[in-house]
Amino acid sequence: MSVASPTVLRQLSPATTARLLGAWHAGGPAYLALADALRAAVLSGTLAPHTRLPSERELAAVLGVSRTTTSGAYARLRELGFATSRVGSGTVTTLPQRAAGPVPGRPAGGDAPVAGETLRGAVRAVGLSGTGHLDLWQATPPAPPELHEAFTRALEGLPAYLDSGGYEPYGLAPLREAVAARYRERGVPTTADEILITTGAQQAIALLAHTHLRPGDRAVVESPTYFHAMEAMRDAGGRVVGVPAGPLDVDLLASTVRRARPRLVYLVPDYQNPTGSVLSADERAAVREIADRHGVTVVGDETLVELGLSDSDTPPPFAGDGTSPHVVSVGSASKAFWGGLRVGWVRAHPQVIAQLARARQSADIATAVLEQLAVTELLGRRAEVMVGRRHMLRERRDLLVGRLRESFPWDVPTPPGGLFCWVDLGLPVAQAFAAAAAAEGALVAAGPLFTPDNAGAASHVRLTFTRSPVELTEAVPRLVRAWGRVAGSQRRTHGTAHGTR
């Protein structure tokens, strides 16, 4: 029986592969280090399945290694199920077949570029060390105890909607009003007509990208920033331009907007993903002035605004007094409550809301009714729910930060809020460390993933602290082993004295 040719959806050039891998050699045999780096790229989503890799000879030339190294790396990928090869088709990335079925243990979804169950299954399928993988990648907290009661009350309210067709393109009126009330509570005069309920904040971002960008239009983002937002802008045909973040240089943003003439600006003003920085009230006012002066739509992604972990007040609203037609706010129930809810929203001028509602008709028409009713209940108990959420996240943050500081010579800041630590390794080896960590059974996100050119932030990794205390504790020794491989390679290569304490 002949073996079918692997499906190929895209092809990676040698230069792009080298840029994606960055400083990939994490010590040990070069072919294993290269295989680890490619495998980590597939697991992280930066290298999609069904991608044809460069030939062994081409990759060897661009990486400056022998063909024996690339041949051994490809063979290792095939052995682990992350690649398949056939004469005439080349070597094509895949996910292990055993990853196809569900893996029990945690809910899927969240801040990951590939399906959560597939990702977990892939890691377990290849037999990583220890008892499976430990995920410091996904920024997805577990559900609060109040969630079940919220759904119980939502079911009680559901009969009132059963005589209708169930489609509400703008969202259920009670939820739109509850979201508007939260904005009013924060000092932004808002009516329900200025709210659109979406299927998660990601849909809100995608709708804004597709309604504001035409092929070739520029979109300005912070660098680093939330990578799914950049994906949405590129899917709309936009060219993404980065402005250094953490903190954001507002003067440089103004200069970039003036010179690049973008159609869209995307910012994360609260506990920025991934740096954790927060825009001040003056900086927010300056951004709004830039939007009005240049007539450019500026999107403030406020999905993390409720997750302040210090004693300071909630950051000021991105929309200010809410009067600018060029300022749009995006929010979500996924980070504050639970990712499985898939309920987000947009606050904008009613004309923008109507435009977005029309655009979503080609996607999903409307958000699920029961989830909207549950989020309405949760927003009504927001203050009570968030006390427990913040307490849980603060404990986990402090645990991870403390263990990292004890174990590594890294710069590990304590983020004032959000769900992750933006760690400076002190060496430009983020991709190599992510590859080594994956081989040790821990998933971390390399800094370049969050930059428009996939090349910046080479000395940083993002580590989430949303997992359980047991998992966070177990992850650190795996990171220590991974760092030992990377730092040892650096010492041999450069004669430096970096390493674990």
Side-chain angles (χ1 to χ4, degrees), residues 33-102:
L34 180 56
D36 284 346
L38 290 167
R39 177 174 56 166
V42 173
L43 287 170
S44 71
T46 58
L47 179 53
H50 306 294
T51 299
R52 180 185 285 122
L53 297 171
S55 70
E56 295 171 2
R57 189 183 304 278
E58 290 174 328
L59 186 58
V62 75
L63 294 180
V65 299
S66 69
R67 187 176 176 183
T68 301
T69 295
T70 54
S71 176
Y74 283 6
R76 177 64 173 162
L77 290 177
R78 290 192 295 270
E79 176 188 344
L80 296 176
F82 282 86
T84 184
S85 301
R86 188 167 185 243
V87 175
S89 299
T91 299
V92 180
T93 58
T94 60
L95 282 172
Q97 290 300 312
R98 286 170 57 192

Side-chain angles (χ1 to χ4, degrees), residues 106 111-112 134-141 227 273-274 335 393 396-397 399-401 404 415 418-423 443-445 450 461-468 471-472 475 479:
R106 297 187 203 144
D111 189 33
L134 294 169
D135 189 353
L136 302 185
W137 174 285
Q138 293 189 59
T140 51
F227 51 86
N273 184 359
K335 303 303 184 186
L393 291 171
R396 297 183 182 192
R397 176 201 64 183
L399 171 63
L400 180 61
V401 168
L404 292 176
L419 301 169
F420 25 73
C421 298
W422 186 237
V423 175
L443 296 181
V444 305
F450 302 91
V461 293
R462 193 192 75 170
L463 305 176
T464 64
F465 46 82
T466 55
R467 304 280 76 84
S468 71
E471 291 173 295
L472 293 175
L479 300 182

Side-chain angles (χ1 to χ4, degrees), residues 403-429:
R403 293 298 175 91
L404 292 176
R405 288 176 176 173
E406 292 171 357
S407 305
F408 299 97
W410 303 340
D411 180 6
V412 184
T414 300
L419 301 169
F420 25 73
C421 298
W422 186 237
V423 175
D424 186 349
L425 304 177
L427 294 169
V429 294

Side-chain angles (χ1 to χ4, degrees), residues 477-491:
R478 302 187 186 200
L479 300 182
V480 168
R481 293 195 296 271
W483 182 246
R485 294 171 58 189
V486 175
S489 174
Q490 290 292 309
R491 283 196 300 270

Side-chain angles (χ1 to χ4, degrees), residues 10-347:
R10 59 195 65 81
Q11 182 164 341
L12 210 59
S13 71
T16 300
T17 306
R19 185 171 64 251
L20 180 151
L21 293 174
W24 55 271
H25 199 167
Y31 81 95
L32 287 178
L34 180 56
D36 284 346
L38 290 167
R39 177 174 56 166
V42 173
L43 287 170
S44 71
T46 58
L47 179 53
H50 306 294
T51 299
R52 180 185 285 122
L53 297 171
S55 70
E56 295 171 2
R57 189 183 304 278
E58 290 174 328
L59 186 58
V62 75
L63 294 180
V65 299
S66 69
R67 187 176 176 183
T68 301
T69 295
T70 54
S71 176
Y74 283 6
R76 177 64 173 162
L77 290 177
R78 290 192 295 270
E79 176 188 344
L80 296 176
F82 282 86
T84 184
S85 301
R86 188 167 185 243
V87 175
S89 299
T91 299
V92 180
T93 58
T94 60
L95 282 172
Q97 290 300 312
R98 286 170 57 192
V103 177
R106 297 187 203 144
D111 189 33
V114 294
E117 299 295 359
T118 300
L119 179 64
R120 279 185 275 277
V123 177
R124 294 189 181 190
V126 299
L128 293 179
S129 60
T131 57
H133 81 293
L134 294 169
D135 189 353
L136 302 185
W137 174 285
Q138 293 189 59
T140 51
E146 295 86 354
L147 182 71
H148 184 269
E149 183 180 348
F151 267 100
T152 299
R153 294 180 63 85
L155 282 169
E156 293 172 355
L158 184 62
Y161 296 88
L162 297 181
D163 287 338
S164 71
Y167 291 152
E168 292 287 349
Y170 287 82
L172 296 185
L175 179 54
R176 295 175 74 196
E177 174 53 33
V179 173
R182 176 58 181 144
Y183 280 105
R184 293 195 298 268
E185 181 184 338
R186 296 181 61 207
V188 188
T190 303
T191 67
D193 290 338
E194 296 170 291
I195 301 296
L196 173 72
I197 303 303
T198 60
T199 305
Q202 184 61 35
Q203 185 189 56
I205 296 167
L207 286 172
L208 287 161
H210 281 271
T211 55
H212 286 76
L213 296 175
R214 293 185 293 269
D217 285 343
R218 292 184 177 91
V220 172
V221 303
E222 298 158 291
S223 180
T225 193
Y226 177 50
F227 51 86
H228 286 321
M230 292 188 288
E231 289 178 338
M233 294 168 198
R234 292 191 180 107
D235 286 346
R239 291 185 290 169
V240 180
V241 178
V243 175
L248 176 69
D249 186 330
V250 177
D251 291 335
L252 183 56
L253 173 65
S255 174
T256 303
V257 169
R258 184 174 64 252
R259 293 176 179 275
R261 299 182 181 276
R263 294 288 303 278
L264 196 68
V265 176
Y266 170 84
L267 305 175
V268 185
D270 314 302
Y271 317 117
Q272 198 256 2
N273 184 359
T275 69
S277 63
V278 180
L279 288 183
S280 68
D282 288 344
E283 289 167 335
R284 292 165 196 254
V287 169
R288 293 192 294 270
E289 194 274 331
I290 292 170
D292 291 336
R293 180 173 7 123
H294 296 280
V296 60
T297 297
V298 178
V299 178
D301 185 341
E302 297 184 302
T303 57
L304 298 167
V305 69
E306 303 287 359
L307 298 180
L309 303 180
S310 64
D311 295 329
S312 59
D313 294 332
T314 301
F318 184 74
D321 62 8
T323 59
S324 173
H326 302 112
V327 175
V328 176
S329 298
V330 169
S332 172
S334 294
K335 303 303 184 186
F337 301 128
W338 187 48
L341 288 167
R342 306 312 307 141
V343 174
W345 51 82
V346 179
R347 185 212 177 272

